[in-house]
Amino acid sequence: MKKNKLFIFLLVIGLFLSSCNDANASKKTAKISKAQEEMNSDTLGFRKGDLADEKVVFTDISYAGKEAGESILYERAFENAPPLISHAIEDMLPITADNNLCLSCHDKAIAGDVGATSLPATHYYDYRNNKSTGDILSDSRFNCTACHVAQSDAKPIVANVFKAEFKDDDLKKKSNLIDVMNEGVDYK
C-alpha cells in the first residue's frame, strides 16, 4: 500500500514537472519564432537589403578607378596580408585560368620592366605537392580577386582600433610569406 502511494506521488510530481517544462518550452518556441520573423536577409548585415541581390551594394563608396601606376599604394592591413588592388579592374574581369590580364604586368618576369609589383614567391609554389612551379603561376593562384580587392575610399562601418605591427618596414609593401609559412609548425 505504501509503495502504491509513493508511486502515485512520484507520478503526480513527474506530471507536474513535465507540464512546467512544456510551458517553458512553449515560451521559448514563441520567442524563437518571433526572432525568426524579425530576422531576414533584408535586416542582416550592413547592406540593409536582400543579401542574395548583387545589385544591392554600398553606393557611397568610390573605388580607385585610376589606371595602373597612377594611384597611391596603401600599406597592407597586416604583415603578409594580400595587398589591395590600386587600379581599376573592371576591364580585366572575369579573371580565369586562361585569361588573366593581371599577369601581363605582375608576372615576376615582367613586373620589374613595367614598374609593377611582382607576384610573390608563394604564387609560384604548389603547396599540394610541396614544390616550386618555377616561372609558372601555381594552378591554385590564378584567381587574383579571391584574395585581392580594389582600394576604395570606404569609411569604416564599425569602429576598428586594430593597429598592425610589422617585423620590418619593407613588409608593409612586400610579402615574406614563403619564408615564414611554417614558422611554429613542428613536423614530428
Side-chain angles (χ1 to χ4, degrees), residues 112-134:
D113 294 336
V114 297
T117 302
S118 175
L119 296 175
T122 53
H123 289 51
Y124 298 94
Y125 196 86
D126 179 356
Y127 287 96
R128 291 182 190 124
N129 297 308
N130 197 25
K131 66 178 185 176
S132 172
T133 58

Side-chain angles (χ1 to χ4, degrees), residues 66-87:
K66 296 188 178 183
E67 294 304 314
E70 294 179 353
S71 58
I72 298 169
L73 295 176
Y74 295 178
E75 73 179 38
R76 293 171 187 245
F78 52 89
E79 193 168 305
N80 288 311
L84 298 172
I85 301 169
S86 63
H87 55 78

